[in-house]
Amino acid sequence: MVIAGEAETGIPDDKRFAVELEFVQCLANPHYLNWLAQQRFLDDACFLNYLRYLQYWKEEPYVQYIIYPHALKMLDLLQSPEFRAAIVNPAYKEHVHSQQLFFWQHWRTNRLHETAQLKEVLATPADTCFACTKALHDGLLCQSMRSSLVIHGSA
């Protein structure tokens, strides 16, 4: 992805950075996405190109500035015509919003539960592996760790 510079946009890089960051983070709000859909922005080819351009925010070093990680997920979802068509529906907007709230409410509890399961699995030396031990030491639980739990739990 080529990131436009001041020569192409006519806007100083620092100002464009701030504006694009703020816009990307606004995408975490399902009510804002619904408004964009109702105003037909999500039907505009130029706007969709802009959303594709903004994908660079998912990569280093830009991703470190994102405060609301759901914004990046929404940016991905907006690439889908099905999601763009669905988000215009107020009931679907509320569904997305409730799922977001559910995630926020239970994320920490679920991670604590997974950590306890992982510690239990790693308590048996035969089930330990370098990746699991390192991840536990680093306090990380990613998708590969969840897969490891299934593998070790079934051993």
Side-chain angles (χ1 to χ4, degrees), residues 1 3 12 24 28 31 45 48 50 83 105 114 124 129 139 143 146 151:
M1 174 65 59
I3 301 170
V24 168
H31 298 279
L48 296 177
Y50 182 62
F83 180 78
Q105 285 176 324
E114 287 177 353
T124 308
C129 73
Q143 185 59 41
R146 290 188 203 109
I151 293 167

Side-chain angles (χ1 to χ4, degrees), residues 1-54:
M1 174 65 59
V2 177
I3 301 170
E6 187 173 348
E8 292 90 341
T9 63
I11 300 170
D13 289 340
D14 57 338
K15 185 172 184 174
R16 193 184 82 252
F17 176 86
V19 169
E20 288 180 358
L21 175 60
E22 183 175 356
F23 176 74
V24 168
Q25 296 201 110
C26 286
L27 297 178
N29 183 340
H31 298 279
Y32 180 59
L33 298 181
N34 175 258
W35 182 84
L36 288 173
Q38 289 177 344
Q39 302 304 311
R40 314 229 11 85
F41 282 100
L42 301 182
D43 297 332
D44 181 2
C46 292
F47 188 77
L48 296 177
N49 284 338
Y50 182 62
L51 291 175
R52 275 192 292 280
Y53 161 76
L54 292 173

